[in-house]
Amino acid sequence: MHRPAVARTLPLLTVVAALVSTGAAPPATIGTPAPPVKVPVAAGYGGAVASVDADASAAGIAVLRSGGNAVDAAVATAAALGVTEPYSAGIGGGGYLVFYDARSHRVHTVDGRETAPATATETLFQENGAPIPFAEGQTSGLGVGVPGTPATWRTALDAWGSRSLGSLLKPAEKLARDGFTVDSTFRAQTEANQDRFKDFPDTAKLFLPGGALPVVGSTFKNPDLAATYAELARKGTGALYRGPLAEDIVRAVRTPPVDPAATRKVRPGDLTTGDLRAYATKRQEPTRVGYRGLDVYSMAPSSSGGTTVGEALNIMERTDVSKLSEAQYLHRFIEASRISFADRGRWVGDPAAVDVPTRELLSQRFADSRACLIKPDRTLTSPLAPGDPRHPVPCATTGQAAPTTYEGENTTHLTVADRWGNVVSYTLTIESTGGSAITVPGRGFLLNNELTDFSFAPAAPGVPDPNLPGPGKRPRSSMSPTIVLDDGRPVLAVGSPGGATIITTVLQTLTGHLDRGLPLVDAIAAPRASQRNQTTTELEPGLWNSPLRAELEALGQAFRQNPEIGAATGVQRLPDGRWLAAAETSRRGGGSAMVVHPRGNP
């Protein structure tokens, strides 16, 4: 198997050398994060952290510098993101963590996805036999699932961590108490949710003090969240699942704290303290596919990320993508995405509730039977019907096509590596930007609206849908935290937010780097396309305004514009033993890449 593109990327790293030298956090202790300076790429020794936020990346770097490992740093970074990225992540949500253990050379995963109440049925989001509007499910107690993030931290630390939860929550607790500097992204996200937030007094008090939007450059403090973190530090993450905090969550879901003057219809949910007590994360095997002689690991269902990215890579495996023109590369990338999303919609859900053919979806035999649908001179039509992974027939489809249902587009991703070679790729979320808009009174965090990731009704009449709600069921996710190994050693790790666009973002970043020879930071920055078995493919402005669009339209591709798709981060192991951290150069205000020792001795 050939891997020429990987070798070609390394000399290009000199292009970003000027940035690299500034990409580390200044000396800090665990309790004092570095000033919020964002740099999108950094290389050096001792470990690396990449996230969307400089305060969060600095919290992780401080843990690494003090001798903590990648899992410790990932928890500290995630807790800080719960402060500075409260509309995307936090202890009111869930996520998926992928961990590479340098000692055993094995990849492990934690499914920390939210779960539905025990009373949930397939008609959870239906009234009078019809699905309710998405917006009414989003801003409600009905859409809130049992949070999985605190339990994810506990599971990961118990299995692989070296520090106490209490010590790792200290930077985030201090950040919440002392405050962080408001940037334009935080203000814009607040403004986008202003109409929802103002209808919940506790949310309005926290995020719209005095009814006004936060001012760029001002300091935003969250003393209630600081107190909640301090409580978790003292009592452990179990405090969220039983006791007063659990009761506060259930009360907010079952009796949403809505302003009496609000005209918004806010449906209550049916979450109970029993649902919280029953919650458990899942330790499970990752997905794995071979690609260009490398091993690509990601999340198995309940996430569809690993199966869908993996199938698309298998579809592209038989073509030497490095030799294609840019237009033909994008054409094949779009068609592979279209096909894998068709199969995702038919076959992937929570394996505890439905039979998911994970192994067959990831087989090269199945991918080859689907890849022959792709023609270099014409475009497939969506919605495309799925194939049958258990009985693959070349160039055949099975059953009726179903469109891809909507997923909220906000989440956050962090990537960490340590001095010993351990790696964490971790995607966490509260679903929509601002989640349910319900802040737990007196607790300082928003609750998720993750149950809206279920199909409100079957995606197409008469077509089996594995993603309908059910008791205790995990909604299907697109989160795709990914780690790539070469002969058991880490090559890179990557992931992104973005709802269903996560899958295409990770796929495009991987192929851009591994096949097209782009340095990792450039593969992340490259303008994106996202096809999800829909009639049109989304394009960012860089492709929309490019001559490539006309070339692709000549093949039958149809497009619509999306101003911004995803916000990826990654880490890469360089041949000289250094780690490279990479993040966005501009999306969501740019990301933050840091290393422990940017220059000098390892």
Side-chain angles (χ1 to χ4, degrees):
M1 305 296 290
H2 73 285
R3 297 195 300 275
V6 178
R8 284 201 306 270
T9 66
L10 299 177
L12 295 177
L13 295 174
T14 57
V15 174
V16 293
L19 289 174
V20 168
S21 64
T22 63
T29 66
I30 289 182
T32 56
V37 177
K38 286 187 175 182
V39 177
V41 61
Y45 297 103
V49 179
S51 80
V52 75
D53 180 74
D55 284 311
S57 294
I61 286 291
V63 170
L64 294 177
R65 181 174 288 118
S66 69
N69 67 23
V71 169
D72 303 326
V75 170
T77 304
L81 287 169
V83 180
T84 60
E85 284 270 291
Y87 308 147
S88 302
I91 56 174
Y96 299 92
L97 185 147
V98 179
F99 170 65
Y100 168 76
D101 184 347
R103 182 175 299 174
S104 66
H105 308 299
R106 290 190 59 198
V107 177
H108 307 267
T109 74
V110 179
D111 179 332
R113 184 64 157 160
E114 300 87 340
T115 55
T119 56
T121 68
E122 291 188 354
T123 60
L124 177 66
F125 291 105
Q126 295 180 27
E127 288 183 358
N128 301 317
I132 65 174
F134 180 86
E136 294 184 15
Q138 174 192 36
T139 309
S140 73
L142 201 63
V144 180
V146 178
T149 290
T152 300
W153 297 348
R154 183 72 274 157
T155 298
L157 289 173
D158 284 349
W160 311 294
S162 68
R163 298 295 174 86
S164 70
L165 175 69
S167 68
L168 299 173
L169 291 180
K170 286 296 182 185
E173 180 188 340
K174 184 176 189 301
L175 191 58
R177 184 177 61 251
D178 296 348
F180 65 91
T181 303
V182 171
D183 62 13
S184 59
T185 299
F186 185 81
R187 178 184 168 89
Q189 290 178 339
T190 309
E191 186 173 18
N193 282 281
Q194 190 169 9
D195 286 344
R196 294 202 301 150
F197 286 179
K198 67 180 177 55
D199 288 344
F200 298 90
D202 297 277
T203 306
K205 179 182 177 182
L206 178 58
F207 299 114
L208 298 167
L213 291 169
V215 176
V216 174
S218 66
T219 300
F220 185 92
K221 298 181 180 181
N222 190 340
D224 286 345
L225 182 57
T228 300
Y229 276 158
E231 182 176 348
L232 293 178
R234 291 193 311 272
K235 299 179 180 179
T237 57
L240 187 134
Y241 298 97
R242 57 187 62 83
L245 178 52
E247 292 167 3
D248 287 348
I249 291 171
V250 168
R251 189 178 304 111
V253 171
R254 298 179 70 88
T255 311
V258 186
D259 188 330
T263 59
R264 183 184 304 275
K265 182 177 183 179
V266 180
R267 292 171 173 80
D270 201 27
L271 202 68
T272 68
T273 54
D275 292 321
L276 268 72
R277 286 196 304 271
Y279 183 82
T281 59
K282 291 184 177 182
R283 291 270 307 273
Q284 60 189 38
E285 290 297 311
T287 60
R288 185 187 70 82
V289 297
Y291 190 68
R292 314 298 186 205
L294 304 172
D295 293 304
V296 181
Y297 292 87
S298 190
M299 279 304 310
S302 59
S303 180
S304 65
T307 56
T308 311
V309 171
E311 181 186 346
L313 288 173
N314 283 341
I315 288 171
M316 298 178 75
E317 170 79 5
R318 301 300 195 198
T319 301
D320 188 349
V321 179
S322 68
K323 294 182 179 178
L324 297 179
S325 69
E326 190 70 13
Q328 275 297 316
Y329 156 64
L330 288 170
H331 175 66
R332 192 161 189 87
F333 159 74
I334 288 168
E335 298 299 84
S337 300
R338 188 191 312 271
I339 292 167
S340 60
F341 264 91
D343 299 327
R344 164 195 187 263
R346 171 61 184 86
W347 299 107
V348 182
D350 182 353
V354 296
D355 185 13
V356 182
T358 300
R359 180 174 61 84
E360 292 88 350
L361 283 167
L362 291 169
S363 72
Q364 191 62 52
R365 180 185 174 211
F366 178 58
D368 290 346
S369 76
R370 302 291 276 157
C372 63
L373 292 168
I374 301 176
K375 307 300 179 187
D377 57 350
R378 61 181 184 271
T379 295
L380 292 165
T381 300
S382 285
L384 181 72
D388 185 345
R390 293 189 177 94
H391 306 285
V393 177
C395 304
T397 55
T398 302
Q400 185 179 337
T404 299
T405 53
Y406 176 76
E407 287 180 40
E409 294 190 353
N410 221 324
T411 294
T412 196
H413 180 81
L414 64 96
T415 324
V416 181
D418 65 29
R419 69 180 74 173
W420 300 282
N422 302 300
V423 179
V424 172
S425 187
Y426 182 19
T427 314
L428 58 159
T429 184
I430 60 171
E431 221 286 23
S432 298
T433 308
S436 64
I438 300 171
T439 297
V440 181
R443 298 296 189 168
F445 64 91
L446 288 158
L447 291 171
N448 69 82
N449 64 299
E450 212 64 63
L451 301 189
T452 61
D453 271 353
F454 284 123
S455 302
F456 283 25
V463 179
D465 191 329
N467 191 41
L468 292 169
K473 190 175 179 182
R474 285 164 153 82
R476 182 174 62 206
S477 170
S478 296
M479 288 181 268
S480 309
T482 299
I483 295 177
V484 181
L485 305 184
D486 184 1
D487 195 25
R489 308 286 179 173
V491 174
L492 71 133
V494 70
S496 177
T501 70
I502 292 171
I503 290 168
T504 55
T505 295
V506 169
L507 178 63
Q508 190 173 354
T509 302
L510 288 172
T511 56
H513 177 64
L514 298 176
D515 289 314
R516 305 299 288 178
L518 295 175
L520 183 57
V521 69
D522 292 349
I524 287 171
R528 293 183 182 134
S530 183
Q531 167 54 240
R532 307 185 297 280
N533 198 23
Q534 297 176 328
T535 54
T536 55
T537 297
E538 293 181 2
L539 292 184
E540 288 188 324
L543 286 174
W544 180 267
N545 299 319
S546 164
L548 287 168
R549 177 161 68 101
E551 292 185 56
L552 291 165
E553 287 172 338
L555 302 176
Q557 299 285 358
F559 300 107
R560 66 187 187 276
Q561 192 170 183
N562 184 333
E564 190 173 277
I565 299 173
T569 71
V571 297
Q572 178 186 6
R573 187 72 164 183
L574 301 179
D576 61 5
R578 291 181 301 156
W579 286 106
L580 180 137
E584 296 288 353
T585 57
S586 59
R587 295 181 186 96
R588 276 171 64 166
S592 171
M594 295 183 181
V595 295
V596 175
H597 301 295
R599 59 175 80 88
N601 296 321

